[in-house]
């Protein structure tokens, strides 16, 4: 499907006159090119393109302003309803009408996000066609014009936060019951927690966020005195050695495998660094995999890793303040010494940095369902294994911060993951089913299940590919398009706004509360303001929406484009960009090229398979149950039982038989000893392969064959000697 057809099929009918006239611009370009493209044609094309850009930009800003106005209006209506001394049933009816209005706003926010991505992709494509067919190069000029009208940088996260809070208040009868709850509360002890991970295609990120906030509010951690929401960035520094022992252990899920990282939240000025250790335990051990951590000031990190700084003074201060129990303080001291010991004995150094922006969804104080969505995931090299001093003697490199997409780094040092990561944590009592909407979500077209996905493992396998022999199993999922046909009933559908009832609520509420003042504007005047206000919006990035079979590009936008040389639009199997230059990324500097499947044909995978790893093998996760070891032991005991029976027969012949029987007894004794030795070797061989989670085969065709041949020979020999003796 050509992009022009894709655009016509995907546009929102009510806004069809405000989309870029992609077909008209393409028709103009082809017609003039056939006749001989001149400078006058170029001037006219630039004017048409600039006019389309102005149209799209103005409409997008107007609709963004309207969305904000409608959200503010809903908030004021909720305040009026809560002050209204009417019966609860009447209030609930009014809140239901407001909830339908919020649904309408959500659907329009989704359409606006899709509108932004479609038009951005259309501009990129038409300029690319121009530079390919016309004798003039338009890319540099249009890049500047696009940056001067940055409709594609709209930050919808602010709208999401307001919609989430408003939705939660309306659901709770007009009261913000979760406002003062501790987000960490509700984590009981007698619960089973299940965690699963999924990939989310950039096309589905906004739809997924809007779907989730209908059921869970956005979780915000605010400290005292903090007015604005905290920075959602999370950065981690993972440690390993030159042999990548920690990578190998985590990939193979070896018992006791460790992952050690240093993590901070927000920008680079954060003074609190969390030292974390994750330890994997097999289910058959009876222990659970654990994550432990303690905090340390950033200025002490290098000293701690060098072994010249301890937590003694901090622990003593906490003991005096009484903020932690004595057991917690002992665990902190023990953990700090164990982590330092691992760093020293295993020669661990900073290897991989992971960066992402996290949006968490959870009802404060209720940990039964927690969902987090990590976007703009990027892995960066921190090691000096190739002789390049990236971090030097410091615990992290200082030439970058949280300035995604890290365009200042060479491409061999950075891996921009093409998908968002959704993590669903369910904490329910044993035997209790999770909410139906969660089950519908994880079975929908919006997500792709990737159990046990690890940012550390992926970053290491991509950026240090020359040092790894085993690749994670999810690599096989990265060479195909993860988008699926839309699931019926899941996602965002168009909802009409109940504006007639909305105005009636406003008037009725004003009468009941004695004409409560809401400003000088009536609802109709407010509606006019939606169309006339021109509010300057500080905007950010959202991923591209649609792709076509032949030429589409899934897009990621940035609110800070500095003109640095961007990655190519072709993205490899592992999420790393091709080194060849593409002007397209001057406008859209960090987008992979995704080619979806249409009509059962796969024109081109979204990631190009690597051809330079013939000796790499994929590590497929294998769950080893205790019964597997017991089955191996039972097989060993069966062989021993056979050997004991055979040995007993041999002893009988040796002790009570004639000369022929004694010869046969000696033969059977040797065979019984061979069976026992063989059974022991086979048991040890299989046990080792099970521990290493090797996929097989586990059978042995040679050993049993030899034993049968030898046993038959002993029987034949006994029979022959007996015949001769007579």
């Amino acid at each position: 499907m050509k992009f022009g057809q894709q655009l016509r099929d995907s546009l929102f009918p009510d806004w069809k006159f405000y989309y870029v006239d992609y077909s008209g611009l393409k028709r103009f370009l082809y017609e003039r090119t056939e006749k001989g493209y001149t400078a006058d044609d170029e001037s006219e094309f630039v004017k048409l393109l600039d006019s389309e850009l102005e149209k799209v930009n103005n409409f997008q800003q107007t609709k963004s302003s309207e969305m904000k106005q409608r959200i503010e209006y809903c908030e004021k209506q909720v305040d009026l309803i809560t002050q209204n001394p009417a019966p609860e049933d009447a209030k609930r009816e009014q809140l239901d009408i407001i909830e339908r209005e919020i649904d309408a706003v959500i659907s329009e926010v989704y359409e606006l996000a899709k509108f932004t991505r479609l038009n951005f992709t259309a501009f990129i494509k038409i300029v690319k066609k121009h530079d390919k067919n016309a004798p003039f190069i338009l890319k540099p000029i249009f890049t500047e014009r696009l940056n001067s009208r940055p409709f594609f940088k709209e930050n919808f996260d602010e709208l999401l936060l307001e919609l989430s809070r408003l939705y939660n208040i309306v659901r709770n009868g007009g009261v913000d019951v979760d406002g003062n709850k501790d987000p960490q509360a509700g984590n009981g002890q007698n619960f089973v927690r299940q965690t699963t991970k999924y990939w989310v295609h950039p096309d589905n990120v906004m739809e997924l966020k809007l779907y989730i906030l209908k059921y869970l509010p956005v979780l915000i951690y605010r400290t005292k005195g903090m007015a604005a929401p905290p920075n959602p960035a999370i950065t981690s520094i993972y440690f390993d050695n030159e042999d990548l022992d920690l990578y190998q252990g985590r990939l193979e899920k070896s018992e006791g495998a460790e992952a050690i990282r240093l993590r901070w939240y927000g920008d680079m000025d954060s003074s609190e660094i969390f030292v974390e250790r994750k330890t994997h335990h097999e289910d058959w051990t009876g222990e659970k995999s654990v994550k432990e951590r303690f905090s340390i000031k950033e200025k002490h990190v290098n000293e701690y890793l060098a072994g010249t700084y301890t937590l003694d003074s901090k622990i003593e201060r906490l003991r005096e303040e009484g903020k932690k129990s004595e057991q917690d303080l002992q665990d902190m001291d023990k953990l700090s010494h164990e982590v330092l010991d691992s760093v020293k004995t295993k020669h661990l150094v900073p290897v991989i940095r992971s960066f992402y922006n996290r949006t968490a969804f959870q009802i404060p104080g209720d940990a039964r369902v927690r969902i987090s969505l990590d976007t703009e995931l990027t892995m960066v090299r921190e090691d000096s294994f190739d002789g390049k001093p990236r971090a030097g003697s410091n615990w992290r490199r200082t030439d970058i911060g949280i300035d995604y997409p890290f365009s200042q780094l060479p491409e061999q040092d950075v891996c921009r993951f093409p998908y968002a990561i959704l993590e669903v944590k369910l904490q329910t009592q044993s035997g209790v089913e999770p909410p139906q909407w969660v089950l519908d979500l994880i079975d929908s077209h919006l997500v792709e299940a990737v159990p046990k996905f690890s940012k550390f493992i992926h970053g290491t396998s991509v950026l240090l590919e020359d040092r790894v022999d085993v690749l994670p199993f999810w690599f096989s999922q990265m060479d195909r398009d993860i988008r699926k046909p839309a699931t019926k009933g899941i996602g965002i559908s168009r909802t009409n706004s109940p504006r007639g009832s909305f105005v009636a609520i406003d008037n009725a509420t004003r009468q009941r509360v004695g004409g409560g003042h809401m400003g000088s504007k009536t609802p109709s005047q407010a509606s006019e303001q939606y169309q006339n206000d021109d509010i300057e919006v500080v905007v950010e990035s959202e991923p591209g929406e649609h792709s076509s079979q032949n030429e589409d590009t899934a897009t990621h936008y940035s609110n800070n484009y500095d003109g640095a040389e961007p990655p190519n639009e072709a993205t490899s199997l592992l999420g790393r960009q091709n080194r060849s230059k593409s002007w397209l990324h001057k406008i859209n500097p960090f987008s992979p090229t995704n080619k979806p499947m249409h009509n059962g044909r796969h024109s081109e995978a979204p990631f190009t398979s690597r051809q330079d790893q013939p000796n790499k093998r994929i590590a497929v996760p294998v769950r080893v149950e205790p019964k597997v070891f017991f089955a191996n032991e039972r097989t060993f005991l069966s062989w021993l039982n056979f050997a004991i029976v055979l040995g007993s027969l041999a002893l009988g012949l040796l002790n009570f038989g004639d000369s022929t029987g004694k010869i046969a007894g000696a033969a059977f004794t040797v065979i019984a000893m061979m069976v026992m030795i063989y059974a022991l070797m086979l048991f040890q061989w299989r046990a080792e392969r099970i521990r290493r989670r090797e996929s097989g085969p586990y059978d042995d065709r040679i050993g049993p064959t030899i034993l049968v041949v030898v046993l038959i020979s002993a029987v034949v020999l006994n029979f022959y000697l007996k015949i001769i003796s007579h």
Side-chain angles (χ1 to χ4, degrees):
M1 182 185 295
K2 295 288 188 177
F3 176 75
Q5 183 62 41
Q6 185 97 20
L7 179 61
R8 288 190 293 271
D9 293 344
S10 303
L11 58 78
F12 182 45
D14 293 357
W15 301 348
K16 62 182 179 180
F17 298 112
Y18 300 98
Y19 287 80
V20 60
D21 186 10
Y22 180 80
S23 299
L25 290 171
K26 188 170 66 171
R27 189 184 313 110
F28 174 91
L29 189 61
Y30 287 161
E31 289 177 354
R32 299 301 174 92
T33 303
E34 290 178 358
K35 298 178 181 179
Y37 201 83
T38 65
D40 292 337
D41 295 331
E42 177 69 6
S43 177
E44 187 175 353
F45 181 80
V46 169
K47 288 180 180 179
L48 289 173
L49 191 62
D50 197 53
S51 175
E52 293 296 312
L53 178 59
E54 188 73 22
K55 176 185 70 176
V56 170
N57 183 68
N58 289 343
F59 179 79
Q60 197 258 10
Q61 289 199 6
T62 300
K63 295 302 293 185
S64 295
S65 175
E66 178 186 338
M67 296 299 104
K68 294 178 181 179
Q69 296 277 349
R70 289 172 66 180
I71 292 173
E72 292 175 2
Y73 192 64
C74 288
E75 291 175 344
K76 294 176 181 178
Q77 292 295 309
V78 171
D79 291 339
L80 289 174
I81 292 173
T82 55
Q83 297 170 13
N84 186 1
E88 290 301 321
D89 291 343
K91 288 185 178 181
R92 184 67 260 176
E93 182 179 352
Q94 295 169 355
L95 289 173
D96 288 343
I97 296 176
I98 292 182
E99 185 171 353
R100 293 201 300 273
E101 172 66 13
I102 298 173
D103 287 337
V105 173
I106 286 178
S107 65
E108 289 207 12
V109 169
Y110 168 66
E111 293 293 347
L112 186 60
K114 190 165 68 171
F115 172 89
T116 300
R117 294 191 292 267
L118 279 173
N119 283 285
F120 182 75
T121 303
F123 280 120
I124 289 176
K125 289 187 172 299
I126 197 63
V127 174
K128 183 177 180 179
K129 285 184 179 295
H130 170 276
D131 287 8
K132 181 180 179 181
N133 293 279
F136 302 93
I137 301 299
L138 186 57
K139 178 257 301 184
I141 299 176
F142 186 73
T143 300
E144 297 298 327
R145 297 192 180 190
L146 190 61
N147 284 330
S148 66
R149 300 176 181 86
F151 72 92
F152 60 95
K153 299 176 184 177
E154 175 64 34
N155 183 4
F156 295 101
D157 287 343
E158 294 181 7
L159 293 178
L160 288 176
L161 289 176
E162 291 300 320
L163 285 169
S164 171
R165 189 182 69 86
L166 190 56
Y167 227 123
N168 200 37
I169 292 174
V170 171
R171 279 196 301 259
N172 292 316
V175 181
D176 189 4
V177 296
D178 299 329
N180 298 320
K181 286 187 178 180
D182 180 8
Q184 297 282 20
N187 295 312
Q189 298 296 325
N190 301 320
F191 289 88
V192 177
R193 167 164 286 184
Q194 179 185 3
T195 302
T196 51
K197 294 182 180 181
Y198 305 86
W199 289 346
V200 182
H201 194 278
D203 289 4
N204 299 329
V205 168
M206 177 57 67
E207 185 176 8
L208 179 67
K209 287 181 177 180
L210 293 171
Y211 176 78
I212 296 175
L213 68 80
K214 287 186 174 183
Y215 303 95
L216 294 177
V218 177
L219 186 64
I220 301 175
Y221 292 92
R222 281 192 173 95
T223 58
K224 292 183 178 179
M226 180 183 292
N231 192 320
I234 299 178
T235 312
S236 302
I237 306 295
Y238 290 90
F239 282 63
D240 209 336
N241 54 33
E242 292 196 38
D243 295 329
L244 302 181
D245 291 334
L246 268 60
Y247 165 85
Q248 197 73 19
R250 297 296 294 184
L251 181 61
E252 296 180 351
K253 299 296 181 185
S254 303
E255 169 59 26
E258 290 182 335
I260 295 177
R261 68 189 181 198
L262 272 62
R263 168 173 289 188
W264 71 94
Y265 300 86
D267 54 31
M268 298 294 291
D269 296 331
S270 177
S271 61
E272 187 174 30
I273 308 298
F274 291 92
V275 181
E276 300 183 351
R277 181 183 68 180
K278 301 174 72 174
T279 307
H280 173 74
H281 292 296
E282 294 284 2
D283 291 342
W284 57 267
T285 64
E287 299 182 47
K288 296 291 185 182
S289 298
V290 294
K291 182 175 75 172
E292 307 162 284
R293 73 176 186 175
F294 63 90
S295 64
I296 187 174
K297 294 295 183 182
E298 193 277 332
K299 60 183 179 181
H300 298 313
V301 172
N302 284 326
E303 297 175 4
Y304 167 74
L305 294 175
T308 59
Y309 175 83
T310 64
L311 299 183
D312 294 344
S313 59
K314 177 179 180 179
I315 292 175
E316 188 61 31
R317 185 179 71 254
L318 292 174
R319 182 178 288 113
E320 293 175 356
E321 295 174 352
K323 293 183 177 179
K324 288 185 177 292
S325 67
E326 187 62 29
Q327 184 62 47
D328 290 340
L329 295 177
Q330 292 177 6
D331 291 342
M332 180 188 299
D333 185 57
K334 179 183 177 182
L335 178 61
S336 67
H337 284 89
E338 290 178 349
V339 170
L340 182 60
D341 183 63
S342 293
V343 171
K344 293 295 185 182
T345 57
K346 298 178 181 179
H347 307 289
L348 303 182
V349 294
V351 172
I352 294 292
R353 172 185 301 208
S354 70
F355 165 86
Y356 49 88
N357 287 309
R358 169 164 291 180
T359 303
F361 301 86
Q362 180 185 332
I363 298 175
D366 185 352
R368 289 176 298 176
V369 180
R370 176 186 172 88
I371 296 178
S372 63
L373 183 65
D374 299 336
T375 56
E376 299 178 344
L377 172 59
T378 306
M379 283 72 75
V380 178
R381 286 190 69 170
E382 293 276 340
D383 67 279
S384 302
F385 297 156
D386 57 356
K388 297 179 181 179
R390 295 177 176 85
S393 58
N394 197 33
W395 65 278
R396 63 181 177 185
R397 62 192 301 169
T398 57
D399 56 338
I400 58 173
I402 58 171
D403 44 344
Y404 177 85
F406 307 100
S407 55
Q408 71 271 37
L409 295 178
E411 284 304 301
Q412 62 268 22
D413 279 9
V414 61
C415 169
R416 303 176 186 90
F417 196 70
Y419 304 130
I421 307 298
L422 180 75
E423 187 170 354
V424 179
K425 295 182 178 180
L426 302 176
Q427 183 172 286
T428 56
Q429 291 180 339
S430 300
V432 177
E433 288 291 328
Q436 184 60 43
W437 70 268
V438 175
L439 299 177
D440 293 339
L441 172 63
I442 62 181
D443 290 334
S444 72
H445 68 286
L446 298 176
V447 299
E448 171 81 1
V450 188
K452 304 300 181 182
F453 174 80
S454 167
K455 303 177 181 71
F456 164 59
I457 291 177
H458 186 85
T460 303
S461 60
V462 173
L463 298 175
L464 299 175
E465 57 183 319
D466 57 329
R467 290 178 173 269
V468 301
D469 297 321
V470 184
L471 302 176
F473 73 92
W474 55 80
F475 274 29
S476 61
Q477 292 175 259
M478 296 196 67
D479 59 356
R480 63 182 178 85
D481 192 351
I482 67 171
R483 285 171 291 187
K484 312 165 190 173
T487 305
K488 186 176 181 181
I490 301 297
I492 303 300
S493 58
R494 179 64 180 166
T495 304
N496 294 325
S497 172
R499 295 191 178 181
S501 302
F502 207 58
V503 176
I505 287 176
D506 176 58
N507 293 334
T509 306
R510 287 172 182 274
Q511 294 173 3
R512 290 194 180 105
V513 299
H517 184 64
M518 250 187 60
S520 59
K521 292 184 177 63
T522 66
S524 59
Q525 290 171 333
S527 179
E528 291 179 6
Q529 183 181 358
Y530 294 160
Q531 304 299 328
N532 298 329
D533 283 355
D534 185 11
I535 299 177
E536 182 179 358
V537 182
V538 179
V539 293
E540 197 181 24
S541 67
E542 277 303 327
E545 172 67 11
H546 289 279
S547 300
S548 68
Q549 180 179 359
N550 298 321
E551 57 182 12
D552 195 16
T553 303
T555 54
H556 298 261
Y557 315 138
S558 169
N559 59 342
N560 289 313
Y561 173 58
D562 56 7
E565 188 63 39
N568 192 286
E569 61 180 309
T571 303
S572 69
L573 167 67
L574 307 182
R576 295 176 64 181
Q577 284 71 17
N578 191 293
R579 300 297 188 268
S580 62
K581 308 300 181 183
S582 169
W583 71 265
L584 179 60
H585 285 73
K586 283 290 187 178
I587 302 172
N588 179 19
F590 24 89
S591 68
T593 299
N594 291 336
K595 307 291 183 179
M597 186 180 295
H598 292 279
N599 301 325
R601 295 186 308 161
H602 206 307
S603 62
E604 182 179 341
F607 310 100
T608 304
S609 298
R610 304 175 77 105
Q611 303 296 332
D612 56 346
Q613 300 182 11
N615 297 322
K616 309 288 185 184
R617 61 186 179 92
I618 299 293
V620 180
V622 179
R623 181 180 179 87
V624 181
E625 299 286 353
K627 62 183 180 181
V628 177
F629 291 93
F630 298 151
N632 185 35
E633 186 175 336
R634 286 195 301 270
T635 304
F636 171 65
L637 294 176
S638 297
W639 278 105
L640 286 184
N641 182 60
F642 170 72
I644 291 172
V645 172
L646 188 60
S648 300
L649 174 63
L651 289 175
L653 290 173
L654 287 172
N655 292 325
F656 306 107
D658 54 13
S659 59
T660 302
K662 290 181 179 180
I663 295 175
F668 286 131
T669 300
V670 173
I671 295 174
M673 295 173 61
M674 291 176 57
V675 169
M676 287 189 286
I677 295 173
Y678 169 75
L680 179 61
M681 294 177 60
L682 186 63
F683 170 77
Q684 295 290 351
W685 175 72
R686 284 175 174 165
E688 181 62 24
R689 299 198 73 184
I690 292 172
R691 288 192 187 95
R692 296 201 310 244
R693 290 184 175 81
E694 295 188 12
S695 58
Y698 287 88
D699 61 315
D700 179 20
R701 298 182 179 181
I702 299 177
T705 302
I706 294 176
L707 290 176
V708 169
V709 171
V710 172
L711 187 60
I712 292 176
S713 300
V715 172
V716 171
L717 176 63
N718 181 43
F719 181 78
Y720 174 75
L721 292 175
K722 198 66 176 176
I723 294 297
I724 292 178
S725 63
H726 289 286

